[in-house]
Amino acid sequence: MADVILMPRLSDTMTEGVIAAWHKKVGDTVKKGDLLAEIETDKATMELDSYQNGVLLHIGAPVGGKLQVNDLLAVLGQPGEDISALLAQHVSGAIAQPAPKQTETITPIPTAPSNTAPPTIDVSKMEEVVLMPRLSDTMTEGVIAAWHKNVGDAVKKGEVLADIETDKAPMELESYKDGTLLYQGAKAGEKIQVNDLLCIIGKDGLDVNAIVAAAKNGHSHTASSTTEVAATAPTPAPTPSSNTSPAQASTIINEGRIFVSPLAKKLAEEKGIDLRYVKGTGDNGRIIKADIDNYVPSKATVATATATSSPTVQAMPTGEIRYEDVPVSQMRKTIARRLSESLFTAPHFYLTMAIDMDAAVAARTKLNENAKVKISFNDLVLKATAMALKQHPKVNSSWMGDFIRYNQHINIGVAVAVEEGLLVPVVRFADSLSLSQIASQVKEYAQKAKDKKLQPADWEGSTFTISNLGMFGIDQFTAIINPPDACILAVGGIAQEPVVKNGQIVPGHVMKVTLSCDHRVVDGATGAAFLQTLKSLLEEPLRMLI
């Protein structure tokens, strides 16, 4: 008997899924564990494996189509088996025709008159249509930070289409199909609502205007200013001008998307270096700091750079008032809203303690002599914090309005500064991790944050947060609680100060930490007891290795 596969709930907030790709087609034999499809959820694109054997008899939606959770996704059975009764049972959640017939209703679109096509087109089910995905659990709209492809460009599966700025972080959006970019729903800097028309990828000759009109008739909020098709493609990304000499053109090394580390990119901007002319020596040709430091421009490059940069080199009149208005990013809006709510809703109080770090400094030096992963002071603080939270569960809690949640798991958020603001990736079950495991995870998250590779699952679910500004020379500060956590630990730098030991004044390494507490959950004595445990662990770090 045929078996029905329903659209699974692949995240706690998922209500529908978009078919990003089918890895099997109707008539194919499927074995248990085979990859059936890629499902785009509200948090990430995930692979769906088959949990049984059979032949794929029916698919519930084509690539790009949406299905609600528990709608009919696929039917597996024996070759030639009659599944009409099953399809009738699920007619409300499934497309009642096999996949090959679904595509037949789409093919007439390129030749249909644009004035009659819109009412009959369901753009959400068209393979050529890319809608604005929900890249975080709270995202309602996205801002196009940058397009990596222009109208008329060829696009391959896996290539980066655009950088999308969500309410939590800028993220890269990759194409899930091959084709030509025929339409962009908004220019860089413009907003698009979730599920509105982002772009169209298909073959030349597709009636783009009909699809755009249908999207607008479906109450789409897409921008109307970018309706060019491939025949009227806008100017491509900056390339050498038509009158550039062959000598100049030959010096270009990087075209299209340039892989560069954040530090190298910043240095290049400061020095006015055009990254198209820089050869990268990092992994996969990535441009790194050393490439910028060692870069010597050719005469042709200097001439080109001078010609393009000369308008900005102007003497400013003395006393001229100048300013620049920069739109607030989605990420900065979210930071402002959440921290304002936290500060003005949660009654904060602060506890500061000085910690003798002499033993920690010595232990770290010893640990790093033969360590494959270098241990930082932040890693030591994170490990000690996890162990202290184990002993003081009230600090590892959340205010939930009508009740207080005492978390039995320990997930520590680590604040990471990026150009656009602040991200807080989460080290999960930190109390069960070794120092080297903590160090590896923190370094990986920091790099992913800077490269805009963090996924929503990476920054959700913290029970406590650490913010460390010691590496910036800050001795002491207070931090705003990261809801729904009840506390956040602000860590200052380690400074050499005169301390009293055995009745003698000697130089010592001192680090100050400040615990911000939500007084609705944590009392002063509770927070003080937690800090005492943290202090004892850092002053005797060998206890953390037991």
Side-chain angles (χ1 to χ4, degrees):
M1 180 177 176
D3 292 304
V4 167
I5 300 176
L6 303 181
M7 173 63 76
R9 188 182 299 277
L10 298 173
S11 78
D12 54 346
T13 57
M14 175 180 170
T15 59
E16 65 181 14
V18 176
I19 309 299
W22 280 104
H23 290 269
K24 298 288 183 180
K25 62 181 181 294
V26 172
D28 285 354
T29 299
V30 180
K31 295 182 180 179
K32 184 177 181 180
D34 282 354
L35 179 59
L36 265 181
E38 295 176 27
I39 309 296
E40 184 182 287
T41 75
D42 59 341
K43 292 188 175 180
T45 300
M46 306 179 69
E47 296 180 340
L48 179 68
D49 295 339
S50 175
Y51 49 81
Q52 60 197 36
N53 299 322
V55 173
L56 184 59
L57 303 177
H58 174 83
I59 60 175
V63 173
K66 292 181 185 177
L67 289 175
Q68 300 295 310
V69 170
N70 293 328
D71 275 359
L72 180 63
L73 177 63
V75 178
L76 294 179
Q78 300 300 318
E81 186 173 352
D82 184 7
I83 60 171
S84 57
L86 284 176
L87 296 181
Q89 292 176 14
H90 296 275
V91 68
S92 61
I95 299 173
Q97 297 174 338
K101 294 184 179 180
Q102 294 164 6
T103 56
E104 292 173 6
T105 63
I106 295 174
T107 52
I109 291 173
T111 58
S114 60
N115 60 343
T116 59
T120 62
I121 301 175
D122 184 355
V123 296
S124 66
K125 290 183 171 60
M126 293 189 64
E127 183 178 351
E128 295 87 355
V129 168
V130 179
L131 303 180
M132 172 62 78
R134 188 183 301 276
L135 298 172
S136 80
D137 55 339
T138 57
M139 176 180 171
T140 58
E141 64 182 14
V143 176
I144 308 298
W147 282 102
H148 292 277
K149 295 289 183 178
N150 295 308
V151 172
D153 287 353
V155 178
K156 294 183 179 179
K157 181 178 179 180
E159 288 187 332
V160 177
L161 275 176
D163 292 336
I164 308 295
E165 188 179 281
T166 75
D167 59 340
K168 292 189 175 179
M171 302 179 70
E172 293 180 337
L173 180 68
E174 297 181 355
S175 173
Y176 53 80
K177 62 167 293 179
D178 299 333
T180 301
L181 182 61
L182 303 177
Y183 173 83
Q184 294 174 341
K187 297 178 180 178
E190 293 181 345
K191 298 178 183 178
I192 296 185
Q193 301 293 314
V194 168
N195 292 330
D196 274 1
L197 181 61
L198 176 62
C199 64
I200 300 173
I201 299 175
K203 297 181 179 179
D204 292 338
L206 183 69
D207 191 347
V208 173
N209 293 329
I211 299 174
V212 174
K216 290 180 179 178
N217 290 340
H219 304 289
S220 171
H221 297 279
T222 51
S224 60
S225 58
T226 52
T227 57
E228 298 85 6
V229 294
T232 58
T235 305
T239 55
S241 60
S242 57
N243 59 358
T244 303
S245 68
Q248 290 174 324
S250 65
T251 61
I252 295 179
I253 298 173
N254 306 304
E255 293 186 351
R257 186 179 179 215
I258 299 175
F259 292 91
V260 56
S261 73
L263 178 58
K265 183 177 181 181
K266 182 178 180 182
L267 290 174
E269 291 174 352
E270 292 175 351
K271 296 182 178 182
I273 295 175
D274 190 336
L275 292 174
R276 291 179 299 158
Y277 299 93
V278 180
K279 181 175 177 59
T281 59
D283 295 339
N284 300 316
R286 183 183 178 91
I287 299 173
I288 58 178
K289 177 178 180 294
D291 300 325
I292 301 299
D293 292 338
N294 300 328
Y295 176 68
V296 178
S298 65
K299 293 182 179 179
T301 307
V302 171
T304 303
T306 303
T308 57
S309 62
S310 57
T312 63
V313 184
Q314 298 177 356
M316 290 292 101
T318 303
E320 181 179 357
I321 298 174
R322 290 176 56 85
Y323 58 85
E324 179 183 5
D325 293 332
V326 179
V328 179
S329 68
Q330 296 295 101
M331 184 178 181
R332 180 58 63 184
K333 285 180 182 177
T334 302
I335 291 173
R337 176 179 54 80
R338 285 173 58 85
L339 294 185
S340 295
E341 290 174 356
S342 174
L343 185 61
F344 298 117
T345 302
H348 286 53
F349 73 92
Y350 310 96
L351 301 171
T352 300
M353 183 172 282
I355 300 176
D356 183 351
M357 294 292 286
D358 281 348
V361 170
R364 175 176 175 269
T365 302
K366 203 71 176 174
L367 287 169
N368 283 336
E369 285 180 356
N370 299 307
K372 293 182 179 179
V373 180
K374 297 300 182 183
I375 307 298
S376 69
F377 288 114
N378 193 66
D379 300 330
L380 290 170
V381 171
L382 197 152
K383 176 66 175 177
T385 299
M387 296 180 68
L389 288 172
K390 194 85 171 176
Q391 299 182 43
H392 303 277
K394 288 185 178 181
V395 178
N396 189 49
S397 58
S398 303
W399 175 261
M400 306 301 293
D402 296 332
F403 60 91
I404 297 173
R405 175 171 294 164
Y406 295 105
N407 299 296
Q408 298 177 3
H409 60 286
I410 297 174
N411 291 348
I412 299 180
V414 182
V416 177
V418 294
E419 184 177 349
E420 297 83 7
L422 192 69
L423 292 176
V424 188
V426 179
V427 178
R428 303 181 189 281
F429 310 109
D431 55 315
S432 64
L433 301 179
S434 66
L435 274 170
S436 58
Q437 289 173 322
I438 289 173
S440 297
Q441 282 199 29
V442 171
K443 286 180 173 63
E444 180 184 354
Y445 280 142
Q447 190 58 50
K448 287 173 70 175
K450 292 174 182 176
D451 293 342
K452 303 179 182 179
K453 296 290 186 181
L454 280 179
Q455 296 297 314
D458 294 331
W459 62 66
E460 296 171 351
S462 68
T463 60
F464 186 93
T465 306
I466 294 175
S467 179
N468 191 341
L469 293 179
M471 67 286 293
F472 298 106
I474 301 301
D475 295 325
Q476 177 184 339
F477 69 104
T478 59
I480 300 174
I481 296 169
N482 179 34
D485 301 352
C487 297
I488 184 171
L489 186 70
V491 182
I494 299 174
Q496 280 199 308
E497 297 180 5
V499 297
V500 178
K501 290 186 178 181
N502 300 320
Q504 300 292 322
I505 298 177
V506 295
H509 295 86
V510 177
M511 180 180 74
K512 292 181 181 179
V513 297
T514 299
L515 184 68
S516 303
C517 304
D518 183 345
H519 216 327
R520 297 173 299 183
V521 183
V522 177
D523 295 326
T526 304
F530 166 80
L531 286 180
Q532 287 177 341
T533 302
L534 178 69
K535 176 183 174 75
S536 65
L537 288 168
L538 287 172
E539 291 185 344
E540 298 180 61
L542 289 179
R543 293 172 55 192
M544 293 190 285
L545 305 179
I546 299 175

